[in-house]
Amino acid sequence: MPKMKTHKGTAKRFKLTGTGKIKRAKAFKSHILEKKSPKRKRGFRQDGLVHESDVKVIKKQLGIG
């Protein structure tokens, strides 16, 4: 059986933390920013974590487990 290929779109969007969790960027921060509060926009800068229910699929696409 051939090796699993990494899904490149997934690889560009997600990174692993040291403890094995998956980091992701927050959504809604690219445009239509005037109506969003500064506090909300600051919150978009921090990375979020992928929900437990999605971890298995994303790790498979990254070729991890």
Side-chain angles (χ1 to χ4, degrees):
M1 193 163 176
K3 290 182 182 179
M4 287 289 293
K5 288 193 173 185
T6 301
H7 187 278
K8 292 303 187 177
T10 304
K12 290 170 191 174
R13 288 169 172 83
F14 300 97
K15 299 286 177 249
L16 275 181
T17 64
T19 57
K21 295 177 182 173
I22 303 175
K23 286 195 313 185
R24 61 170 180 83
K26 298 269 179 86
F28 306 110
K29 66 175 179 179
S30 60
H31 63 108
I32 315 176
L33 297 173
E34 280 190 8
K35 63 177 81 168
K36 296 169 188 167
S37 69
K39 182 179 178 181
R40 186 173 165 200
K41 289 187 278 192
R42 279 196 305 276
F44 294 145
R45 291 181 208 154
Q46 278 82 38
D47 288 333
L49 293 174
V50 170
H51 194 268
E52 303 156 14
S53 60
D54 299 319
V55 167
K56 186 177 176 183
V57 174
I58 292 171
K59 280 192 172 180
K60 186 178 177 187
Q61 288 179 323
L62 291 173
I64 295 169

